[in-house]
Amino acid sequence: MADQEKFAPVQLASRRVPIITTAQRNTLRPELLEVIEYRKSGLSVNHIVGCPLDCGYCIRHVFDNFQMKVPRALMTDTDAATMLFEHPYFQPHLTPIQLLNRATDPMLPPVKPHTFEMLRLLDQRRLTNHVLVITRWRIEPEDCAILNSFNNIRLTVLVTHSGIDDDRIEPVDSNIAAASLRTAFAHAKRYRVILYWRPIVPVLNDTDEHFQRAFELSHHAHATVFTGLFYKDQIRDYYQAHGLPEPYLEGARRKVFPEDLETRILAAAAEYGTGSPLFRKTSCAVTYAHGVADYNGHYGIRELCDICPVAQINRCAKAWVRPDAARVAALAEQLGGSLVEINDRAVVVADLSEQPRYLMQHSLGYQVHDVNKPHHRNRHGRADLGWPTIKETL
Ligand code: SF4
């Protein structure tokens, strides 16, 4: 009930998100004004900023934006779509796209019309790119009818469900996401549905009951991703300032997912069974759901694939080709960096930030790592926390 009261103003808003005022714009950090950002799962379009859902682990802490509860648009949908199409890293039919996943929830009532309009603008160009929409809010049957209406884009709806019931950390009732998942899956024709089981955090939501609940929900998805918590320093500061139970002693640049937690989840999955297969990586689940090979080249990190269905392993094996060194060196140089080596797992480069590395990764279908940020074998690109020699508080 408290939940309903809290979100009533947003639910009742039938109008679209207003364009931000100059005064409001001036309060935003410059990073938030960069509407297009290349992230691992694709080029991310974020022209709406602000969210009332108050998840304690929200990435907006990192941008000093957590207090902005009412969504505001930085520009029109048409301008945002044009910016995407004209982005130097955008490649028709190839670049994965994520909509409104950094600073708001794309299914909040005032935001939803913009999400649908962006999908329409992409689809009407006959683009076949993957498009990811990640939400923890409500999906109704009439939304599904719209989501089914797109003919060209490869659309995936990822429904975030953690099962965390400490409402100091996650005030939104997890049952909302559970209901959305069931609805989205029941009506899916042209789009695919992923159970985005995250963040899984020791003590908060890692009991056998939590696992069984997630496995039960996995029957209502084409694939399930399980993953940990981004425990960046700014999020840790928020936990400390609000007296929230700290899951780890340190902040981390990558997602935290202790080895023991993963072992327990996989053992429980083997014991109880799941409805849809489990994946460690978002793009693996998305591509499996559409019956195509992983666009991030995770197949090179072979230990990631030990839980993947055989048909999908075969797809990825067929598509995964060690790239030509001359081509990679030229690409790295063109982007301002250099090729260090190409090995059996990844291309290793120097002097390239994340965004050009992701451009290379998606262009090559092969992992691209920074020589100064090594990925450890069997750790799946996650933070060091929770792996041997690293201490935890819980
Ligand atoms: S085979 Fe490996 S890379 Fe491909 S989807 Fe499965 S886990 Fe991911």
Side-chain angles (χ1 to χ4, degrees):
M1 181 52 77
D3 187 55
Q4 281 175 4
E5 285 164 10
K6 182 166 187 178
F7 300 116
V10 172
Q11 289 175 34
L12 291 174
S14 56
R15 63 195 165 88
R16 294 181 171 215
V17 172
I19 296 281
I20 198 164
T21 64
T22 305
Q24 288 164 339
R25 180 183 283 270
N26 289 341
T27 66
L28 297 184
R29 286 253 299 265
E31 304 96 291
L32 274 180
L33 299 174
E34 283 169 26
V35 165
I36 313 270
E37 181 191 8
Y38 216 145
R39 298 159 70 103
K40 188 174 172 193
S41 286
L43 264 185
S44 171
V45 185
N46 297 287
H47 61 298
I48 297 179
V49 177
C51 181
L53 299 185
D54 278 348
C55 309
Y57 46 78
C58 179
I59 195 67
R60 289 188 305 129
H61 288 299
V62 174
F63 302 103
D64 290 333
N65 181 253
F66 192 64
Q67 294 312 318
M68 192 168 168
K69 306 299 179 193
V70 179
R72 295 277 180 247
L74 299 176
M75 58 181 61
T76 66
D77 300 325
T78 308
D79 287 349
T82 302
M83 193 179 255
L84 171 67
F85 301 143
E86 291 178 354
H87 193 281
Y89 290 175
F90 176 71
Q91 300 179 74
H93 313 297
L94 190 146
T95 308
I97 299 162
Q98 301 180 80
L99 291 182
L100 300 167
N101 63 315
R102 183 178 68 187
T104 191
D105 186 298
M107 294 305 284
L108 290 173
V111 180
K112 198 160 60 174
H114 300 271
T115 305
F116 292 158
E117 175 63 4
M118 290 298 289
L119 292 171
R120 192 188 68 76
L121 290 168
L122 291 164
D123 197 64
Q124 78 171 15
R125 283 198 163 216
R126 299 184 184 278
L127 292 168
T128 56
N129 302 57
H130 283 284
V131 184
L132 281 62
V133 173
I134 305 173
T135 183
R136 66 186 327 134
W137 198 238
R138 298 183 196 285
I139 300 176
E140 308 293 352
E142 51 272 28
D143 301 325
C144 301
I146 296 173
L147 296 170
N148 276 322
S149 70
F150 303 112
N151 293 317
N152 303 298
I153 52 174
R154 277 184 283 199
L155 176 59
T156 307
V157 178
L158 299 101
V159 180
T160 301
H161 179 279
S162 70
I164 291 173
D165 40 27
D166 183 335
D167 61 13
R168 294 171 301 165
I169 292 172
E170 191 178 287
V172 180
D173 186 343
S174 276
N175 287 318
I176 293 175
S180 293
L181 185 81
R182 288 169 192 273
T183 302
F185 185 68
H187 292 83
K189 290 185 185 129
R190 293 212 176 97
Y191 62 89
R192 293 291 174 262
V193 179
I194 305 289
L195 167 59
Y196 218 5
W197 179 17
R198 62 161 195 174
I200 311 173
V201 185
V203 175
L204 271 187
N205 60 343
D206 69 335
T207 65
D208 235 37
E209 290 76 50
H210 287 106
F211 294 172
Q212 287 185 49
R213 170 91 173 121
F215 298 152
E216 190 270 319
L217 285 173
S218 77
H219 286 266
H220 304 278
H222 297 100
T224 297
V225 180
F226 67 106
T227 190
L229 175 73
F230 263 126
Y231 200 50
K232 298 199 178 221
D233 290 340
Q234 298 90 335
I235 297 174
R236 184 166 184 238
D237 292 346
Y238 176 83
Y239 271 56
Q240 289 177 340
H242 291 78
L244 301 175
E246 279 197 77
Y248 306 104
L249 275 178
E250 314 164 23
R253 186 178 70 86
R254 294 176 173 151
K255 273 183 192 152
V256 184
F257 203 70
E259 182 179 27
D260 156 69
L261 181 53
E262 174 177 304
T263 306
R264 285 196 297 119
I265 286 174
L266 294 179
E271 184 178 346
Y272 301 117
T274 62
S276 50
L278 295 184
F279 292 87
R280 297 181 173 99
K281 298 294 178 184
T282 305
S283 64
C284 291
V286 167
T287 48
Y288 165 77
H290 286 273
V292 296
D294 174 44
Y295 55 73
N296 269 312
H298 285 122
Y299 186 74
I301 315 300
R302 202 58 52 83
E303 65 271 19
L304 276 176
C305 310
D306 61 353
I307 56 173
C308 192
V310 173
Q312 180 67 3
I313 293 177
N314 291 338
R315 261 179 226 125
C316 288
K318 210 165 153 197
W320 187 77
V321 178
R322 188 178 174 124
D324 174 67
R327 178 187 170 210
V328 179
L331 185 53
E333 216 164 290
Q334 189 190 325
L335 292 165
S338 60
L339 171 64
V340 176
E341 64 162 353
I342 303 176
N343 60 44
D344 286 343
R345 293 163 72 84
V347 167
V348 181
V349 293
D351 303 322
L352 283 178
S353 62
E354 264 185 3
Q355 302 205 45
R357 288 206 309 274
Y358 292 144
L359 168 69
M360 287 183 72
Q361 186 158 295
H362 295 149
S363 302
L364 302 170
Y366 209 86
Q367 286 271 292
V368 176
H369 296 169
D370 180 347
V371 68
N372 292 319
K373 298 186 182 101
H375 287 225
H376 300 293
R377 201 169 279 270
N378 293 315
R379 211 166 287 183
H380 315 317
R382 295 166 182 157
D384 292 337
L385 282 166
W387 293 80
T389 76
I390 304 295
K391 53 193 181 305
E392 292 166 52
T393 57
L394 300 171

